[in-house]
Amino acid sequence: MAQAVQASIGDSEFDRDTAVTLSQPGVYDAHLSAGWTIISAINGGYLLALIGRALADALAHPDPFTVSAHYLSASQAGPAIIRTETIRTGRTLSTGQASLIQHDENGAEVERIRVLATYGDLDQLSEEVRTSATPPVIPAYERCLSTSDGPVPDLGGSSEILERLDIRLDPATVGWVVGAPSGKGEMRGWFSLADGRPADPLSLLLTVDALPPTAFELGLKGWTPTVELTTHIRCRPAPGPLRVAITTRNLAGGFLEEDAEVWDSEDRLVAQSRQLAKASR
Amino acid sequence: MAQAVQASIGDSEFDRDTAVTLSQPGVYDAHLSAGWTIISAINGGYLLALIGRALADALAHPDPFTVSAHYLSASQAGPAIIRTETIRTGRTLSTGQASLIQHDENGAEVERIRVLATYGDLDQLSEEVRTSATPPVIPAYERCLSTSDGPVPDLGGSSEILERLDIRLDPATVGWVVGAPSGKGEMRGWFSLADGRPADPLSLLLTVDALPPTAFELGLKGWTPTVELTTHIRCRPAPGPLRVAITTRNLAGGFLEEDAEVWDSEDRLVAQSRQLAKASR
């Protein structure tokens, strides 16, 4: 997506909408933006990035290494607070906890998401790589499909997030758009923030939960709310578009897992995630 | 392993060693048994089962659906307490938190493991299965290798857990035993509790972390301490031995992931887990 001026880390819509302000020790004020809404729900990856920013401030280490989030209730656009706790501070790793909290119409606290996370410093890791993982095979960016190509399915509700993400889906995983899902639990595509803001560990927490659900390609039409999402950030991403591949192998008993992997422009596996989601309400 | 009398759920070494006693609302006393020690460390899966039992008592739903554990410090055999918090009680799912705590020589609390978990009722799930996952290919039980077959590598320290587990490893994944690791990040085998106690959702929390680390087959010799382990229990296991397959794809920067899947005798995928581990101290 051509942009007159490319946004940078620290000065972009993503950074403004995930900003947190320390209000008392370990407690942060935030504002959940409606700009990251998908089918009238605020995207769980955006919320995770916001919580991740608070923990990066609260903990002694800067980068999320592993973040486990259990989703409790649907967040609403508007004010929120993030309450953090430092559980352990070690030499190379720190572990903390965070709660994303909003207030209901009576002023009572309602917890939206509870997170456990272990942080470290990606710049301190060894350069050694002995991976057997290989990048997903995805057609070139210009041969993949954006949400403005072809028919757009009516997902119901507002989906402002689509204006903020530049996602190009592998044509092999978009059968659901025209009512012909592949039957395979796969979703693949290119991912960038639409304003050109480069990827970093915080934006990767959004990236792992940003593609359409694999359930659409399995022929399910309803939304698949996340019960729990755990993300490992393995490497600081290089500049350039990311490739994301999501796979579901086991849809059973009304639940499914979604395994995501994210690769950078230098063919490094920068993030792995798995979520447990409900197949239907 | 022939047993004169087969242990049953509720009356077995595993059940006795994971017993918890309510001491005050939400708080449980426990005793960490040295019987589940591997290379002088208490097995993380055993500890998770013990915490899982406390949460099963504290929460409104009986079965662990997804359990995220962050490991903070090395547990010691002896007394421990588990402090639980009920975060949310819903109609079909409940979410809670637990801390496994011991006391140091000065009587100060030291937290060993922090857990977030969402529980439900496996017996209430629909029967519908639309999985594309297939069971791992493992040779027949009698063609796999127990720890008493052939040379036993000197892992150092005591490993009493080996007497309590009946694990038979796929010969294709035991090259490390004779100093000839395959170089592939794979470990596969049959798993039962040695006293014949049948598998259930709590024992599955042990099963996902019970095989030798894949790192051994990658040629690493040191231990690989768990940073975080998340387990999804998808189905109540049928009687009979389980098959476990563990895979590591990405060993990079001094960390590796271990993906485990557990299959029951009726070819159902009963558990999936992923952990982030440190490749070396």
Side-chain angles (χ1 to χ4, degrees):
Chain A
M1 194 174 286
Q3 293 286 323
V5 179
Q6 177 162 308
S8 59
I9 292 176
D11 181 21
S12 72
E13 200 157 30
F14 172 80
D15 294 295
R16 286 190 293 276
D17 287 350
T18 56
V20 296
T21 308
L22 190 70
S23 64
Q24 46 179 291
V27 183
Y28 298 82
D29 289 331
H31 187 90
L32 310 187
S33 163
W36 305 84
T37 298
I38 177 77
I39 316 185
S40 297
I42 301 184
N43 175 265
Y46 157 70
L47 297 170
L48 197 58
L50 193 145
I51 296 166
R53 192 183 290 282
L55 281 167
D57 187 78
L59 297 176
H61 291 88
D63 299 314
F65 276 27
T66 168
V67 180
S68 309
H70 288 243
Y71 289 77
L72 306 167
S73 58
S75 297
Q76 309 294 331
I81 63 170
I82 301 165
R83 202 170 281 143
T84 68
E85 174 196 350
T86 297
I87 299 172
R88 175 180 175 270
T89 301
R91 193 175 54 82
T92 59
L93 297 173
S94 296
T95 300
Q97 176 176 302
S99 294
L100 179 70
I101 292 162
Q102 295 192 294
H103 291 88
D104 68 14
E105 60 274 21
N106 301 316
E109 287 195 354
V110 184
E111 188 164 352
R112 302 305 191 190
I113 305 175
R114 179 75 64 104
V115 169
L116 271 184
T118 297
Y119 276 52
D121 186 344
L122 289 172
D123 296 330
Q124 298 299 316
L125 298 187
S126 79
E127 297 284 324
E128 191 187 11
V129 175
R130 290 172 58 184
T131 191
S132 63
T134 51
V137 177
I138 300 179
Y141 177 88
E142 55 275 9
R143 301 192 57 180
C144 287
L145 302 173
S146 90
T147 47
S148 53
D149 296 332
V152 177
D154 181 10
L155 299 173
S158 69
S159 294
E160 286 190 54
I161 196 173
L162 298 179
E163 297 167 22
R164 284 162 180 79
L165 306 180
D166 182 12
I167 290 175
R168 301 289 166 119
L169 293 174
D170 184 338
T173 66
V174 298
W176 59 279
V177 174
V178 291
S182 69
K184 295 181 193 169
E186 297 177 353
M187 196 66 65
R188 286 184 299 274
W190 296 89
F191 176 96
S192 301
L193 290 166
D195 61 8
R197 190 262 197 202
D200 71 354
L202 284 182
S203 72
L204 288 175
L205 296 177
L206 161 66
T207 303
V208 297
D209 195 37
L211 264 58
T214 53
F216 288 176
E217 277 295 273
L218 289 169
L220 303 188
K221 294 205 168 140
W223 198 242
T224 50
T226 303
V227 176
E228 172 266 324
L229 167 62
T230 295
T231 306
H232 299 172
I233 307 296
R234 303 296 301 274
C235 182
R236 194 175 298 287
L242 300 166
R243 284 157 292 172
V244 184
I246 309 182
T247 308
T248 293
R249 295 170 67 229
N250 194 46
L251 167 58
F255 288 84
L256 68 161
E257 96 285 4
E258 280 198 18
D259 279 1
E261 50 183 66
V262 184
W263 293 76
D264 75 2
S265 60
E266 294 182 359
D267 277 358
R268 294 180 306 183
L269 180 52
V270 294
Q272 292 172 294
S273 75
R274 175 177 289 165
Q275 68 172 266
L276 184 70
K278 276 187 94 161
S280 55
R281 289 174 195 276
Chain B
M1 194 174 289
Q3 292 288 324
V5 179
Q6 175 161 310
S8 58
I9 292 176
D11 180 22
S12 72
E13 201 158 29
F14 172 80
D15 294 296
R16 285 190 293 277
D17 287 350
T18 56
V20 297
T21 307
L22 190 69
S23 63
Q24 46 178 292
V27 182
Y28 298 82
D29 289 331
H31 187 90
L32 310 188
S33 163
W36 305 85
T37 298
I38 177 77
I39 316 186
S40 297
I42 300 184
N43 174 264
Y46 159 69
L47 297 170
L48 198 57
L50 193 145
I51 297 167
R53 192 184 291 281
L55 282 167
D57 187 79
L59 297 176
H61 292 88
D63 299 314
F65 276 27
T66 168
V67 180
S68 309
H70 288 242
Y71 289 77
L72 307 167
S73 58
S75 297
Q76 309 294 329
I81 64 171
I82 301 165
R83 202 170 281 143
T84 68
E85 174 196 350
T86 297
I87 299 172
R88 174 180 177 269
T89 301
R91 192 174 54 83
T92 60
L93 296 174
S94 296
T95 300
Q97 176 175 302
S99 294
L100 180 70
I101 292 163
Q102 294 192 294
H103 291 86
D104 68 14
E105 61 273 20
N106 302 315
E109 287 195 354
V110 183
E111 189 166 350
R112 303 304 192 191
I113 306 174
R114 179 76 63 103
V115 169
L116 272 182
T118 297
Y119 275 54
D121 186 344
L122 289 171
D123 296 331
Q124 298 298 316
L125 298 187
S126 79
E127 297 285 323
E128 190 186 12
V129 175
R130 290 172 58 182
T131 190
S132 62
T134 52
V137 177
I138 301 179
Y141 175 88
E142 55 275 10
R143 301 191 57 179
C144 288
L145 302 173
S146 90
T147 47
S148 54
D149 296 332
V152 176
D154 181 8
L155 299 172
S158 68
S159 294
E160 285 190 55
I161 196 174
L162 298 179
E163 298 167 22
R164 285 165 180 77
L165 306 180
D166 182 12
I167 291 175
R168 302 289 166 119
L169 294 175
D170 184 338
T173 66
V174 297
W176 60 279
V177 173
V178 291
S182 68
K184 296 181 192 168
E186 297 178 353
M187 196 66 67
R188 287 186 298 274
W190 296 89
F191 176 96
S192 300
L193 289 166
D195 62 7
R197 190 262 199 201
D200 70 355
L202 284 182
S203 72
L204 289 175
L205 296 177
L206 161 65
T207 304
V208 298
D209 194 36
L211 264 57
T214 52
F216 288 175
E217 277 294 272
L218 290 169
L220 303 188
K221 292 203 169 142
W223 199 242
T224 50
T226 303
V227 176
E228 172 265 324
L229 167 62
T230 295
T231 307
H232 299 172
I233 306 297
R234 303 295 302 273
C235 182
R236 193 175 298 286
L242 300 166
R243 284 157 292 172
V244 184
I246 309 183
T247 309
T248 294
R249 296 170 66 226
N250 194 48
L251 167 57
F255 288 84
L256 68 161
E257 96 285 2
E258 280 198 19
D259 279 359
E261 49 183 68
V262 184
W263 292 77
D264 74 3
S265 61
E266 294 182 359
D267 278 358
R268 294 180 306 184
L269 180 51
V270 294
Q272 292 172 295
S273 76
R274 175 177 289 165
Q275 68 173 266
L276 184 70
K278 278 186 94 161
S280 56
R281 289 174 193 276

